[in-house]
Amino acid sequence: MTGVIIVGVIGLVCSVLLVVASHFLSVPADTRVEDIRAFLPGANCGACGYAGCDDYAKAVAGGSAKPNLCIPGGASAADQISEYLGVQSESTVPQKAVVRCSGTCEKCGDAEEYHGPATCAACAALYRGKKACSYGCMGYGDCVMVCKFGALSIVDGVARVDESLCTGCGACAKACPHLIIGMVPVSSSVTVRCSSHDSGAVVRKVCSAGCIGCMMCTKVCPTGAITVTDFLASIDPDKCTNCGACAEKCPVKVITLE
């Protein structure tokens, strides 16, 4: 019994010491983190540059991150967090994903057979992929797998974006090994559906829907929003008025107006 009593006393003393230590050494929790977290959509997509909404909320509360980095939350989340913190709101321009490739199975075939992991990343590691166009979508759906909102799908061998579901988080753009998925303002309606930098002669041999660098689009653009560099047309969304003149003039119809 003596041993039991001694052990019991020691346990009681240690418990008292732990309670006292936890009281005096505890770090007060920042309640702002939970409040800021409540303003976020909870997508945990990582578009803000942090591991998830919890980490981003901690960074905002600590002052190391701006309140407007949550892309899925958009202006609403940015405004609410800014108002809560008592700072001026800096809303960002809503973004959406666009697929810069028109090389469907019919328009751009395969140059070789691929037998390996069914991922774009693995296929791209082998001479830039199996398709005849080394810049095109390989259609294995790496982008589909990383999209947490179900906004992407593979249709006829090419990735497609459902704009009604896209939050502009950019996860798909980061997952694409050929970088054919880009982020543009939601207001943009004109898109160059090609990513090839090959000359027009080469493009015609491998894809019937590729940009041939003819520069006809640049000649009809009234605002100088479209330029051709390394045989590929590109659009400056800040200058584009969505007039559609370039899409109408494009001989291969690789520029679309939606």
Side-chain angles (χ1 to χ4, degrees):
M1 288 297 296
T2 303
V4 174
I5 295 173
I6 292 175
V7 173
V9 172
I10 292 175
L12 179 62
V13 172
C14 290
S15 300
V16 173
L17 291 176
L18 287 174
V19 171
V20 173
S22 65
H23 176 73
F24 289 99
L25 300 179
S26 63
V27 178
D30 190 347
T31 57
R32 296 182 304 167
V33 174
E34 294 185 3
D35 293 338
I36 293 173
R37 177 65 177 81
F39 296 133
L40 302 175
N44 290 313
C45 60
C48 58
Y50 293 86
C53 294
D54 290 336
D55 284 349
Y56 176 55
K58 292 177 183 177
V60 173
S64 60
K66 293 183 177 181
N68 63 342
L69 299 184
C70 180
I71 295 177
S76 176
D79 292 343
Q80 290 182 78
I81 296 173
S82 298
E83 182 179 358
Y84 174 78
L85 295 176
V87 297
Q88 185 175 2
S89 177
E90 299 179 16
S91 299
T92 56
V93 177
Q95 301 280 302
K96 66 179 179 180
V98 293
V99 179
R100 298 188 175 115
C101 179
S102 300
T104 60
C105 298
E106 178 184 356
K107 297 176 181 178
C108 182
D110 293 344
E112 57 184 303
E113 292 187 12
Y114 170 72
H115 301 283
T119 68
C120 298
C123 187
L126 182 65
Y127 302 109
R128 287 189 59 82
K130 64 174 183 174
K131 297 197 76 170
C133 175
S134 60
Y135 298 89
C137 176
M138 288 169 284
Y140 286 109
D142 290 22
C143 53
V144 177
M145 290 184 284
V146 299
C147 181
K148 296 176 185 264
F149 308 96
L152 281 107
S153 59
I154 302 298
V155 180
D156 198 12
V158 177
R160 295 286 177 84
V161 179
D162 183 342
E163 292 188 12
S164 66
L165 299 175
C166 180
T167 62
C169 69
C172 55
K174 296 176 183 177
C176 180
H178 281 178
L179 305 178
I180 66 170
I181 302 179
M183 306 305 299
V184 300
V186 171
S187 58
S188 296
S189 299
V190 183
T191 305
V192 179
R193 302 285 179 181
C194 182
S195 297
S196 175
H197 286 284
D198 288 335
S199 65
V202 174
V203 170
R204 286 183 182 276
K205 292 180 181 179
V206 298
C207 182
S208 61
C211 179
I212 56 177
C214 65
M215 300 187 70
M216 295 183 69
C217 53
T218 64
K219 298 175 182 178
V220 298
C221 180
T223 61
I226 188 164
T227 56
V228 175
T229 305
D230 292 335
F231 308 108
L232 179 63
S234 61
I235 298 173
D236 183 347
D238 293 331
K239 296 180 180 179
C240 182
T241 61
N242 296 318
C243 69
C246 55
E248 183 178 350
K249 193 67 175 179
C250 178
V252 291
K253 302 305 177 184
V254 75
I255 303 177
T256 61
L257 173 65
E258 299 183 8

